[in-house]
Amino acid sequence: KAGVTQTPRYLIKTRGQQVTLSCSPISGHRSVSWYQQTPGQGLQFLFEYFSETQRNKGNFPGRFSGRQFSNSRSEMNVSTLELGDSALYLCASSRGPIGEQFFGPGTRLTVL
Amino acid sequence: SQELEQSPQSLIVQEGKNLTINCTSSKTLYGLYWYKQKYGEGLIFLMMLQKGGEEKSHEKITAKLDEKKQQSSLHITASQPSHAGIYLCGADDAGGTSYGKLTFGQGTILTVHP
């Protein structure tokens, strides 16, 4: 069974630009969560989608948004990039609202 | 809000030694998850604990959740260089209403010298 995949793996952007990251969950998993990981703040929850609906959101500004498609694939978008948005962005999938979350390899975003 | 404190922050051991990593919560845990991460990569799921007093083992790694469900420990027996990495505990502190949100500790960096 294929694991969680994320594309692209690496991304370099400049301040003010926007970026879209993609996540394909494990087949049969309908919940996708997104996390931001930085050396200073650690792993922080961004949001979760289930059946194309955002059910939970972390404490991030509105520049961070996401969506989920009918095939459970999810995208997250960051607009007006700031230097502080440089981080490893991880997505995780699970079958339901609770239970094991399986993580993808992450997208390393660098904002210059 | 939920806070998870991991100790120690880093650990250096000689191959073959046993070690323990602790994860303490400020709130009752509905689920406690252990993950391993290689630097800059994704998290690898190790174990999930839900019941107070629960203990699970996989190969040389054993995790326990205490009776009060506010502390968990991860024990590695006869450590190997392949055990090196960052160990993270993650908590579900809201049960069925957590909706995909796990709160993580700051991680424990494990180095195993051959």
Side-chain angles (χ1 to χ4, degrees):
Chain A
K1 204 175 203 181
V4 178
T5 58
Q6 291 187 244
T7 57
R9 292 293 313 279
Y10 302 92
L11 209 47
I12 299 175
K13 293 286 186 179
T14 56
R15 279 181 300 173
Q17 288 186 310
Q18 74 166 12
V19 66
T20 299
L21 313 181
S22 180
C23 172
S24 292
I26 293 171
S27 178
H29 285 192
R30 297 169 64 190
S31 171
V32 174
S33 296
W34 288 89
Y35 294 86
Q36 180 196 64
Q37 187 176 35
T38 59
Q41 298 297 318
L43 261 170
Q44 292 188 296
F45 173 78
L46 281 156
F47 31 65
E48 187 260 5
Y49 286 87
F50 182 87
S51 293
E52 303 178 65
T53 300
Q54 185 185 90
R55 299 188 303 179
N56 203 356
K57 189 176 190 305
N59 189 26
F60 279 83
R63 299 185 297 107
F64 291 81
S65 62
R67 59 177 176 170
Q68 187 180 37
F69 302 94
S70 58
N71 62 358
S72 294
R73 189 177 70 85
S74 177
E75 289 181 347
M76 69 162 282
N77 184 78
V78 187
S79 63
T80 319
L81 285 166
E82 300 177 358
L83 295 178
D85 296 334
S86 294
L88 181 67
Y89 289 89
L90 295 159
C91 79
S93 75
S94 64
R95 287 193 180 278
I98 58 174
E100 302 96 323
Q101 288 187 3
F102 297 91
F103 283 77
T107 294
R108 170 73 63 184
L109 172 65
T110 301
V111 182
L112 303 176
Chain B
S1 61
Q2 171 78 44
E3 286 192 7
L4 288 180
E5 189 72 29
Q6 283 187 238
S7 62
Q9 291 188 357
S10 63
L11 198 51
I12 302 173
V13 300
Q14 205 67 33
E15 183 176 359
K17 295 295 184 183
N18 302 336
L19 63 104
T20 299
I21 298 169
N22 293 303
C23 176
T24 302
S25 169
S26 59
K27 296 170 63 174
T28 298
L29 300 166
Y30 288 89
L32 191 287
Y33 303 79
W34 283 101
Y35 289 88
K36 178 186 174 185
Q37 184 181 30
K38 292 287 191 182
Y39 180 77
E41 299 180 6
L43 278 64
I44 299 168
F45 173 78
L46 295 175
M47 274 171 278
M48 177 182 73
L49 304 165
Q50 289 184 300
K51 300 176 184 176
E54 187 173 14
E55 180 175 320
K56 288 187 176 178
S57 294
H58 177 67
E59 298 181 342
K60 295 184 178 180
I61 301 177
T62 300
K64 301 178 186 179
L65 182 62
D66 77 354
E67 291 289 344
K68 294 183 179 179
K69 296 174 65 175
Q70 286 194 276
Q71 186 173 43
S72 178
S73 60
L74 185 83
H75 184 76
I76 298 177
T77 303
S79 59
Q80 302 169 348
S82 61
H83 287 128
I86 304 168
Y87 288 82
L88 292 139
C89 61
D92 168 7
D93 62 0
T97 61
S98 57
Y99 295 135
K101 178 184 177 182
L102 293 181
T103 302
F104 285 89
Q106 78 275 27
T108 295
I109 302 171
L110 173 62
T111 303
V112 181
H113 287 309

